Amino acid sequence: SNNFFLLAGPCAIEGEEMAMRIAERVVEITNKLEIPYVFKGSFKKANRSRIDSFTGIGDEKALKILKKVSETFEVPTVTDIHEVTDAAMAAEYVDILQIPAFLVRQTDLVVAAAQTGKTVNLKKGQFMSPESMQHAAKKVYDSGNEQAMITDRGTMFGYQDMIVDFRGIPTMKQYAPVVLDVTHSLQQPNQSSGVTGGRPDMIETIARAGVVTGVDGLFMETHFDPANAKSDGANMLHLDHLEKLLSNLVAIRKTVNSL
Amino acid sequence: SNNFFLLAGPCAIEGEEMAMRIAERVVEITNKLEIPYVFKGSFKKANRSRIDSFTGIGDEKALKILKKVSETFEVPTVTDIHEVTDAAMAAEYVDILQIPAFLVRQTDLVVAAAQTGKTVNLKKGQFMSPESMQHAAKKVYDSGNEQAMITDRGTMFGYQDMIVDFRGIPTMKQYAPVVLDVTHSLQQPNQSSGVTGGRPDMIETIARAGVVTGVDGLFMETHFDPANAKSDGANMLHLDHLEKLLSNLVAIRKTVNSL
Amino acid sequence: SNNFFLLAGPCAIEGEEMAMRIAERVVEITNKLEIPYVFKGSFKKANRSRIDSFTGIGDEKALKILKKVSETFEVPTVTDIHEVTDAAMAAEYVDILQIPAFLVRQTDLVVAAAQTGKTVNLKKGQFMSPESMQHAAKKVYDSGNEQAMITDRGTMFGYQDMIVDFRGIPTMKQYAPVVLDVTHSLQQPNQSSGVTGGRPDMIETIARAGVVTGVDGLFMETHFDPANAKSDGANMLHLDHLEKLLSNLVAIRKTVNSL
Amino acid sequence: SNNFFLLAGPCAIEGEEMAMRIAERVVEITNKLEIPYVFKGSFKKANRSRIDSFTGIGDEKALKILKKVSETFEVPTVTDIHEVTDAAMAAEYVDILQIPAFLVRQTDLVVAAAQTGKTVNLKKGQFMSPESMQHAAKKVYDSGNEQAMITDRGTMFGYQDMIVDFRGIPTMKQYAPVVLDVTHSLQQPNQSSGVTGGRPDMIETIARAGVVTGVDGLFMETHFDPANAKSDGANMLHLDHLEKLLSNLVAIRKTVNSL
């Protein structure tokens, strides 16, 4: 259908019930709108600002839930890895391995992900230029894996804010399919509380701009109860708003496809 | 028609012939596409990086050309002013007085423009947040003039680059109609040559993102021979590319209007 | 004595008494410490964020107070100008004409200041690179005036913060004597209140770094009652802290001179 | 002697001979100047921009060279770790484990380093505020290890430049002893070549500003032949310039101590 694809789900796998509930609803919406869908969930939160933040329910347990979501709803899944040894482990359960933005310069990790043969989703470092992502993609290709994707999740702007540089979308499409992460792009890091803030009211603004500038896919975290989610509550989209948002974006994509 | 409006023309009024030639072509295109059009031209370039840069053909002479364009093609015009005394002078010739980005914090200048009764187009300083433009708009309103517009022309990102923060579009629409200046937003200032660079290949990317995030108008500099223009040649859109660009943007606007 | 020189005084001339009181105390301290001193005061605040901010007591009145300070204490004076017509007017009363950071790209203003024959203090735009200040200095020199100075007052870092880039001190010394404005460098602009914030606790940190990296002069705003000053209260140094601060800086300068 | 301490050495351990040669010279200089010295060398370069960059001579081999330097010259050593499993391994050979800037948000890595009981040197992420480093330090303390250090290596400023924010020095001293990394702070990342650039001419400028604003230690990479070094040649200080630099810095430190 030449639509954009969607990577979406909760920030962290908090348990089976919540994962299945979110997946079921997103599958329903994306089927209706003919959007290719990949379920997203972190099996572990490894880079939280504070030591007392929630980090996960157990690696194996969370990965099995991802597998169950995949089998139940017949959708591929994506999760992020943080150490070389995570690559082979996670590859047994999911279809796409994601390299977090802070870690995208770690050659060993990128190569380990690439060597599993799974698609590698490289998040652009908040401190990297769009152009510099070509070197990250090349690390995947030079490992004999042609399946790289690049996800933009915003660029640092001062200490406590991020901006999406939309010039980066066409630039990075020269290196790999490009995804825009519309929820993390709106984070406001380095808050005095040690808990990252956000601007979820701007999700549609940023998502529209991504679609119109040619992204191949969108990434967003969504939850039926963001305020009580165990991580990133300040940024996730409420699941109830997802259908209207995607419906608007599909209409824009159709127009863009026709130009 | 609920279309966006367009402020467009050459960077500087270099002479009558070039102004008329550009106006004629833009009028033709915007009539066809039902885009409300305002002819733009600077009567003076007052803030060039280098002392040996072109600054104008004479204030009065250039302003008269703006008037002639207006009368010939029945379009309103806009020009930028730099000192308090420019306000009343320019107001005799044009319909919209524009406050340059570097000068938008100069209260006397904003008030002088407002007091002419003309519409005042406030360019967001490259060093200002979208939220802080409410104070600039308030200076116009408190002078008894309800006709303010805000134009975003990008925000400094490091010394030699600018980014458009599209979160600013809905934010600034709370204060006044918002215009996106798609050519200056792509400038790359502080180059070692003392001549500002640009990324004209990104004009459509930035313009599309502006339309889809809700701008009321677009601003762009265009010329039939950018490479030989006397200022800002690195940023202007070639006039031959204008129709296709605007046609795409109108299609996107129609979709956005329908959501 | 090969010491640094000092430009200091209140942000705005609020009246004769306060100006004389501040000048008297600073003269006393700088005589003791053998620091060449220039009294600083704005005759008008032309670029306040909000229209309801204090802008001055009257141009002529304030300029006469500057003249009186100069004659009483036998010190030169500096004030900032905002329009071309200010240049000749202010030049009758003061020794150094200062171009505000927002206005330093306005060629007419810089040239008008240069043509008075007075020393021209060019504030580096918060949006300018150190290297680009060579073009501003050249505008002074090409006007037949060899007396340019460059003052760094910080560089925008995100929307609401500024950083001093100390690499800029040796860089700009290639073009003209360099001054570090230690109070404005610590401003935090674009606050939601419309009133610029500050970090006066960091004045000595920034001032020391300036001295040790080779500044020719320091600029600071000081007041005997910053909290009740009519502008920039968030940034000014309390006059009671000036002697200890300068005494430390002189000690550092002596060491630097000996290396 | 209340002097600053120094972490210095080559970027990467390229072999035993070069390590010993550098250590010998730095020991000689620091003994003379009474500067407590820690030999620095990376056993592996894990986060190079390009996949074809040099990454090391073998982990074990490089770590043994660090041990030999330590035993030969009776100096402590520091090296950086990149994965949890590196922590225990490196702790057998060195005295200080360093967490690279890109990895300082990885809780597992910081905790693993802390649990070895070795001192943990936390590099401030180029994307982090000084204030946010308190959370990184707390991860060390909450792991039962009181020996944390924080090293500033600059903050992203646009895509291709970094700035040192000296306000961060006194801020971070509230959380742990603070070191300024004067060579990496001058990097210019994201260059189109995929090789990070630098400004080694600014090393003394930045180092002086660090000493005068109160750093506890300095970090610098030095080599007898930077142009032919296998990594970071653009930033390292030539070993021949080290004595004069440190001698100047010690003089400044003595003055600061006396204030």
Side-chain angles (χ1 to χ4, degrees), chain A residues 134-154:
Chain A
Q134 69 188 285
H135 304 294
K138 195 166 184 299
K139 290 176 184 176
V140 177
Y141 303 143
D142 286 356
S143 304
N145 183 332
E146 289 302 306
Q147 307 300 317
M149 293 161 45
I150 298 174
T151 296
D152 195 335
R153 47 92 76 245

Side-chain angles (χ1 to χ4, degrees), chain A residues 48-51 102 156 159-160 189-196, chain D residues 104-105 122-139 150 155 168 171-172 174-175:
Chain A
R48 312 298 303 281
S49 300
R50 294 169 54 141
I51 195 171
F102 290 147
M156 288 305 300
Y159 287 128
Q160 297 175 324
N190 293 320
Q191 301 299 310
S192 54
S193 61
V195 178
T196 297
Chain D
V104 74
R105 284 282 297 273
L122 301 157
K123 286 214 160 179
K124 187 183 85 63
Q126 302 91 329
F127 43 83
M128 286 175 72
S129 65
E131 288 78 7
S132 65
M133 286 303 293
Q134 69 188 285
H135 304 295
K138 195 169 184 298
K139 290 176 184 176
I150 299 173
T155 298
T171 300
M172 294 189 295
Q174 299 173 267
Y175 319 134

Side-chain angles (χ1 to χ4, degrees), chain C residues 97-244:
Chain C
L97 297 178
Q98 179 168 293
I99 308 296
F102 292 147
L103 302 181
V104 75
R105 284 281 298 274
Q106 307 304 312
T107 304
D108 286 358
L109 184 64
V110 172
V111 170
Q115 288 174 342
T116 64
K118 298 286 178 178
T119 297
V120 181
N121 184 19
L122 301 157
K123 287 215 160 178
K124 186 183 85 65
Q126 301 91 329
F127 43 84
M128 287 176 73
S129 66
E131 288 78 7
S132 65
M133 287 303 294
Q134 70 188 283
H135 304 294
K138 194 167 185 296
K139 290 176 184 177
V140 177
Y141 301 143
D142 286 357
S143 302
N145 183 333
E146 290 301 308
Q147 306 300 316
M149 290 161 46
I150 299 174
T151 297
D152 195 334
R153 45 93 74 245
T155 298
M156 288 305 300
F157 181 67
Y159 287 130
Q160 296 174 323
D161 203 8
M162 288 198 295
I163 291 190
V164 179
D165 180 358
F166 286 95
R167 299 172 304 177
I169 307 296
T171 300
M172 295 190 294
K173 283 180 75 172
Q174 299 172 268
Y175 320 133
V178 171
V179 177
L180 178 62
D181 175 346
V182 297
T183 45
H184 289 97
S185 289
L186 292 164
Q187 283 186 331
Q188 299 192 301
N190 292 319
Q191 301 300 310
S192 53
S193 61
V195 177
T196 298
R199 297 282 306 271
D201 55 309
M202 290 289 173
I203 290 173
E204 181 155 354
T205 294
I206 294 302
R208 284 182 176 197
V211 170
V212 89
T213 56
V215 297
D216 300 284
L218 291 171
F219 177 111
M220 62 186 77
E221 291 184 348
T222 183
H223 196 284
F224 46 82
D225 187 8
N228 290 305
K230 294 197 173 157
S231 63
D232 269 6
N235 307 290
M236 283 193 278
L237 179 75
H238 197 294
L239 197 48
D240 288 351
H241 301 150
L242 184 62
E243 182 168 0
K244 177 63 181 158

Side-chain angles (χ1 to χ4, degrees), chain B residues 56-77:
Chain B
I57 60 171
D59 297 354
E60 204 80 22
K61 193 174 169 193
L63 286 165
K64 280 181 178 158
I65 294 171
L66 281 160
K67 188 80 177 170
K68 184 163 181 188
V69 167
S70 177
E71 290 168 349
T72 307
F73 300 103
E74 296 183 329
V75 292
T77 55

